[in-house]
Amino acid sequence: PATTTTTTTTTTLTPRSPSPPPHSSSDEDNEDEGFYIRMCLRKSYYVIAPAVMFFGVPIWVNYLIQTKASPEDFMIAISTSCVFCALPIATYTIYRHLTNYWQPPLQNYVLRILCMVPVYSATSWTGLILWSCKKEQYTYIPNAIRECFEAYTVYNFFTFMMVFMEIHYGMTTGSVLLESAPSRAPPTGYTGYVKHLPPYRISFLGRTYHVLADWQSGDEFVDNCHFGVMLYVAVMPSCALLATVLSILGLYHETYGNWWTSMYFWNENFALVVACHAVYCLVIFFKEAHKDLAPTKPLLKFMVVKGIVFFTFFQNWCISVYFHIFPPEDMEVTVGALQSTIMCIEMLIFAIMHAFAFSYIDFPRVTELEASNDQLMLLAGWAKYYARARLRWKVGTASWWRMVFRVMCNLRDVREDTRETWQHVKAEVDMLQIPKRLGDVRQTSVEGLRTIGENVQVATI
């Protein structure tokens, strides 16, 4: 947006500061429809959830101690209580976004991210029940769903950051980063390249070793980060499907055969490498763009998403390594049940963090007076339509929910991004063949000139 003074007019890269949406009488009437219902639900939850955690769980655990129950029973008791308290928080957070759907291009990705807690809670609790029932060959089914959704969440958060910058600055993500790059330059000066972080750039004894060459700031940097995320999205479903099929066939176990012939070892470590690279791309992109993302309070959002990815994938890997070094009597059941229990406990923590990090208040209504570019003008037009739709559909009816969930479950953007990414990779591979072809042409040209020179020499004699 333009900053006007009395003498000159300068254009800066300052984003639109969010302001509260204007409330008309119709909006207030619509908000009052479910006010008392929401208030009663909140008050009931504030009473029931602490009662379950501080009274129900101790009574349940005490009963299990008196009856000398198995460790799996204790895990089920704790996990069930945490899931029971986490799901209402996540559901209410999603509901508030659906009833304040003022910025669909951004809130669509937010809603997908908020579905992490219900999906992770359901899959972890189901996996715990399967482990306790000695049905370990079927535990990879909920694990596969969780791992696929984990990759899906990383994609949605990365796309959320790019879309936010495109909407609020009115230009592509690469252009925004390129204009703000000099302000992030080190004291030595701006070089036009983004320096890698460890482990891709290591300094030792005064020398610097590069695993990857530095990426040029702008579109090249964004494309490389985007490729790392899309590689994770493409690889993780394949690894999860392979693990599920082999586990049902009884060929996918941590203790099956030697490590060099174990599909578990190669599949899990390959997925680990791809996941590490995707998280690295997320980290370095956030490092470069956090100032441009300042209006959306990016740090808490980044910590929540990165925390869930870390505390699910990497903690499971660390638990497996620990019990391989110090194996218990029944290692597979112990490792699987412990991983599921810890994840259920963490979902309660992350449900509370999601409610603050991805609050619907951060996505207010955009008016035409606030719109400083074409993208914001489109949001202002949507706001007019949405305000009328809230009254006509009485937000909460069946037609309204069908429309919202149809938008949420539309994965066309993922398919298009995947196709465009691999087409870009194919184009890059084709470009690698050009130097070889140029070398062949150069060699042919030199031979032709040598022949011409010989002919000229003979003619001169």
Side-chain angles (χ1 to χ4, degrees), residues 374-389:
D374 294 338
Q375 288 84 351
L376 291 176
M377 188 62 69
L378 290 175
L379 288 182
W382 160 261
K384 291 182 178 180
Y385 166 78
Y386 177 64
R388 294 192 300 268

Side-chain angles (χ1 to χ4, degrees), residues 281-348:
C281 292
L282 203 64
V283 171
I284 193 172
F285 182 86
F286 179 81
K287 171 183 170 294
E288 292 296 311
H290 71 279
K291 291 184 179 180
D292 301 318
L293 295 169
T296 190
K297 303 175 184 177
L299 182 59
L300 184 57
K301 293 180 174 64
F302 176 77
M303 294 302 297
V304 169
V305 174
K306 186 176 180 294
I308 289 184
V309 173
F310 177 82
F311 286 113
T312 53
F313 192 93
F314 294 99
Q315 88 177 1
N316 292 346
W317 186 80
C318 293
I319 291 174
S320 298
V321 171
Y322 175 81
F323 282 108
H324 270 87
I325 300 174
F326 306 100
E329 294 181 0
D330 194 353
M331 187 177 70
E332 288 192 5
V333 175
T334 303
V335 171
L338 183 61
Q339 290 174 348
S340 299
T341 303
I342 294 177
M343 204 166 299
C344 289
I345 297 173
E346 291 168 350
M347 286 306 105
L348 175 58

